[in-house]
């Protein structure tokens, strides 16, 4: 919590007729790993709610730094950045950003955080002094691949149901 209380926030908004990017940077902040969240939930679950509330407040503060609240109301790619003492497993990486992403939804930057709006998430991490970053990119040319046949793509044949 101390890292969240003392972090420095920076934001950047880029918007024109063809592009919409919004970046938030939390210098000095660290996110709890999934294992840390589970461990805390077992014995001190109220601390997780305090942590969740703090992330919502940080996102609110970041959004209020701009004169205009950006609205990502269509296909959006989110880059999630984490820098810390150690690298964490990628199988839990997106989950540790849940409260920050929920904060973006709560502040109206994202109308929803479901797959109709958030179509891609790209994790980025490196070792170093703690920092957390989030970048949203509106994908105006996104094409939904509703007819995608994963089995056929992976195995180069139709599914055999026999």
């Amino acid at each position: 919590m101390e890292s969240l209380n003392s972090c420095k926030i920076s934001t950047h908004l880029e918007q024109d007729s063809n592009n919409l990017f919004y970046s938030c940077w939390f210098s000095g902040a660290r996110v709890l790993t999934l294992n840390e969240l589970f461990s805390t939930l077992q014995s001190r679950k109220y601390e997780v709610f305090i942590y969740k509330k703090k992330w919502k407040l940080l996102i609110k503060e970041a959004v209020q730094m701009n004169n205009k609240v950006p609205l990502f109301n269509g296909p959006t790619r989110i880059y999630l950045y984490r820098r810390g003492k150690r690298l964490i497993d990628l199988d839990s990486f997106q989950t540790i950003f849940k409260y920050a992403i929920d904060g973006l939804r709560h502040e109206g930057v994202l109308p929803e955080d479901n797959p109709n709006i958030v179509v891609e998430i790209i994790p980025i991490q490196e070792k170093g002094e703690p920092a957390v970053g989030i970048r949203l990119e509106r994908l105006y040319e996104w094409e939904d691949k509703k007819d995608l046949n994963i089995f056929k793509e992976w195995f180069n044949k139709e599914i055999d149901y026999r």
Side-chain angles (χ1 to χ4, degrees):
M1 285 300 296
E2 182 55 36
S3 76
L4 300 183
N5 291 327
S6 62
C7 73
K8 183 177 184 256
I9 302 172
S10 302
T11 65
H12 180 70
L13 175 61
E14 262 179 77
Q15 186 171 15
D16 60 35
S17 59
N18 298 321
N19 297 300
L20 177 57
F21 296 95
Y22 180 63
S23 304
C24 301
W25 190 265
F26 304 90
S27 187
R30 65 180 289 270
V31 285
L32 294 176
T33 67
L34 193 57
N35 288 337
E36 289 170 330
L37 282 168
F38 286 160
S39 176
T40 305
L41 277 170
Q42 287 180 346
S43 57
R44 304 177 317 271
K45 69 172 109 179
Y46 63 92
E47 288 181 17
V48 173
F49 295 109
I50 294 169
Y51 173 77
K52 175 182 178 178
K53 186 176 182 179
K54 183 61 181 178
W55 267 111
K56 280 189 176 181
L57 289 172
L58 287 172
I59 295 295
K60 181 177 186 171
E61 187 177 334
V63 170
Q64 290 177 347
M65 292 173 79
N66 295 294
N67 295 331
K68 181 180 178 185
V69 176
L71 175 61
F72 289 79
N73 60 353
T76 301
R77 176 183 295 134
I78 300 180
Y79 297 86
L80 302 174
Y81 174 85
R82 176 197 172 270
R83 187 172 61 213
K85 292 180 182 176
R86 296 185 199 113
L87 300 179
I88 62 170
D89 297 344
L90 287 178
D91 62 352
S92 66
F93 192 88
Q94 293 178 25
T95 307
I96 64 175
F97 284 83
K98 176 166 180 44
Y99 299 140
I101 293 171
D102 284 351
L104 290 167
R105 187 183 47 74
H106 189 262
E107 291 304 311
V109 175
L110 291 167
E112 294 292 335
D113 54 3
N114 63 37
N116 294 323
I117 299 294
V118 179
V119 296
E120 185 176 12
I121 295 180
I122 297 177
I124 306 166
Q125 67 174 324
E126 50 188 358
K127 288 183 181 180
E129 290 302 312
V132 173
I134 301 171
R135 181 173 172 91
L136 287 78
E137 175 185 4
R138 177 67 163 83
L139 303 172
Y140 292 104
E141 303 297 320
W142 178 263
E143 290 184 36
D144 192 9
K145 299 175 181 171
K146 292 182 181 186
D147 297 328
L148 188 64
N149 183 333
I150 294 293
F151 188 89
K152 185 174 183 177
E153 184 178 322
W154 289 3
F155 296 96
N156 199 23
K157 64 180 181 179
E158 295 295 327
I159 296 175
D160 182 6
Y161 291 103
R162 291 181 274 155

